Amino acid sequence: MVSNDFEFFILICQSGSISKAAKDFDITPAAASKRLSNIEKNIGCQLISRSTRSMSLTANGKIYLEYAHQVTTTIEEMSYALRQKTDEAEGLIRINAPFGFGRKYVSKFVSDFIEEYPKIECQLHLSDHPLNLITNAFDIGIRFGSLPDSGLHARKIASHRRFLCASPDYLATKDEPLSPQDLVHHNCIVLRQNDETYGNWHFTKEEQIYHVRVGGNLSSNDGESVLSWTLKGHGIALRAEWDVYHHIKQGSLKKVLGEYQLPNADIYAIYPYKQNIPIRLRMFIDFLAEKMKIIPFERHDKT
């Protein structure tokens, strides 16, 4: 199996169709389809299920794609070493990040990164839920909180927390909650996102765990909408530190139940490479970790 077959397969996955990949390789769709069939024939299994309207990776196809990334990465790093230009990283990085954090920070960090390393190309894809890196041919994903055991590799690039908060106007209309159980008497703005159980909030204090089922008349799958409603005094919300830090500092939001701890929201860079991480990706992750230090988390400010 030659490396070009791996590159060809990766491009099909990135393109989303055989016809688009054929165009990039400057061959006919029929020739591209035949080449894919030859690859499958050589390894003895089907890699892609295709119909007239769609295509999707089989279970074997996902495994093949993972190893295709590893093989092409190893060859790429060998080429860099032979040319003795490992300090001149180049190539493509495909990044998946959450919408809110991606817009506010990741897009800026990507801009700064390519200014410093102009030979690297970055494609940033923002989504309202985490996408499968292997299936969607991403090199790196930005994730918050505890990570599922997905076989991917991760590096923590920042410690981060979640806060419960409300506007002073809202808290002026009701008794401020003194314990998690008091939240059942409050209007709680719920974020409906990913696969989380909506409205189940978890707290810890002195090793004691509290589970509360909250409710209210507002919910959304968009964090920006939740923040906007909270600022307007509609209720209590659970938000990430990066999203509310400035509002708390300015007094437009106030922490609620600050002596209780919520599940962490540490920030991770995850990637599908087990070893031989591409130089450009290693540099990008290092760059992100350094840039995260500029985000004004509360740990930098005791006031």
Side-chain angles (χ1 to χ4, degrees):
M1 185 66 62
V2 297
S3 64
N4 282 343
D5 283 344
F6 291 122
E7 294 170 359
F8 175 75
F9 188 76
I10 291 171
L11 183 59
I12 287 179
C13 296
Q14 291 176 341
S15 300
S17 74
I18 294 175
S19 59
K20 289 181 182 178
K23 185 176 180 181
D24 288 334
F25 270 88
D26 196 23
I27 59 178
T28 66
S33 182
K34 183 177 180 180
R35 182 170 181 178
L36 175 59
S37 296
N38 287 337
I39 293 173
E40 292 175 325
K41 182 179 179 181
N42 288 337
I43 64 171
C45 64
Q46 186 177 7
L47 301 176
I48 292 179
S49 298
R50 50 256 200 208
S51 66
T52 55
R53 294 186 177 181
S54 65
M55 54 168 273
S56 61
L57 283 172
T58 64
N60 286 329
K62 294 176 182 179
I63 295 172
Y64 185 90
L65 179 60
E66 179 180 355
Y67 280 94
H69 277 298
Q70 292 180 27
V71 170
T72 55
T73 294
T74 300
I75 292 173
E76 180 182 87
E77 290 195 337
M78 178 189 69
S79 298
Y80 287 156
L82 291 174
R83 294 198 308 265
Q84 296 183 342
K85 290 184 177 179
T86 53
D87 60 328
E88 296 182 12
E90 57 187 71
L92 173 65
I93 302 175
R94 300 190 76 241
I95 309 151
N96 175 230
F99 264 122
F101 189 75
R103 288 193 200 104
K104 189 167 184 178
Y105 290 111
V106 179
S107 63
K108 180 183 184 305
F109 297 159
V110 168
S111 174
D112 294 341
F113 181 74
I114 63 168
E115 286 181 3
E116 190 166 337
Y117 303 102
K119 291 185 178 181
I120 295 178
E121 177 187 353
C122 290
Q123 293 179 0
L124 175 62
H125 183 98
L126 304 181
S127 58
D128 57 1
H129 63 279
L131 298 180
N132 185 292
L133 299 191
I134 295 175
T135 302
N136 294 278
F138 285 110
D139 296 294
I140 182 173
I142 307 302
R143 302 287 185 264
F144 287 82
S146 58
L147 301 174
D149 183 12
S150 61
L152 296 173
H153 295 260
R155 173 179 165 187
K156 189 168 96 170
I157 53 178
S159 296
H160 191 235
R161 294 178 294 172
R162 292 185 175 99
F163 293 143
L164 211 59
C165 54
S167 73
D169 288 343
Y170 173 82
L171 294 174
T173 65
K174 291 195 171 227
D175 292 333
E176 186 170 337
L178 301 178
S179 71
Q181 288 80 5
D182 292 341
L183 292 172
V184 298
H185 305 298
H186 284 264
N187 199 53
C188 294
I189 305 172
V190 176
L191 179 65
R192 298 176 175 270
Q193 198 173 60
N194 303 333
D195 296 322
E196 298 174 359
T197 303
Y198 309 134
N200 283 345
W201 289 357
H202 311 285
F203 303 82
T204 58
K205 181 181 180 183
E206 298 175 353
E207 300 184 355
Q208 179 71 36
I209 301 174
Y210 304 85
H211 301 282
V212 182
R213 176 72 175 176
V214 301
N217 62 0
L218 284 173
S219 66
S220 175
N221 69 335
D222 174 54
E224 192 170 327
S225 297
V226 170
L227 176 61
S228 174
W229 293 334
T230 310
L231 287 166
K232 288 183 178 180
H234 290 301
I236 298 174
L238 192 162
R239 299 302 301 144
E241 185 176 9
W242 67 266
D243 200 26
V244 296
Y245 174 84
H246 286 297
H247 296 293
I248 292 173
K249 286 291 294 179
Q250 294 165 2
S252 51
L253 288 178
K254 181 180 177 182
K255 279 193 204 177
V256 175
L257 298 177
E259 67 273 24
Y260 291 83
Q261 287 75 51
L262 289 153
N264 73 65
D266 291 341
I267 306 172
Y268 291 85
I270 64 171
Y271 45 91
Y273 305 93
K274 293 181 180 177
Q275 55 187 359
N276 299 320
I277 301 174
I279 295 166
R280 62 184 182 278
L281 184 57
R282 192 159 53 233
M283 292 171 64
F284 181 66
I285 295 173
D286 289 342
F287 190 88
L288 282 182
E290 187 64 28
K291 284 291 184 178
M292 288 292 171
K293 296 177 182 178
I294 74 170
I295 300 177
F297 297 153
E298 187 180 84
R299 62 181 179 275
H300 300 311
D301 190 341
K302 302 300 183 182
T303 61

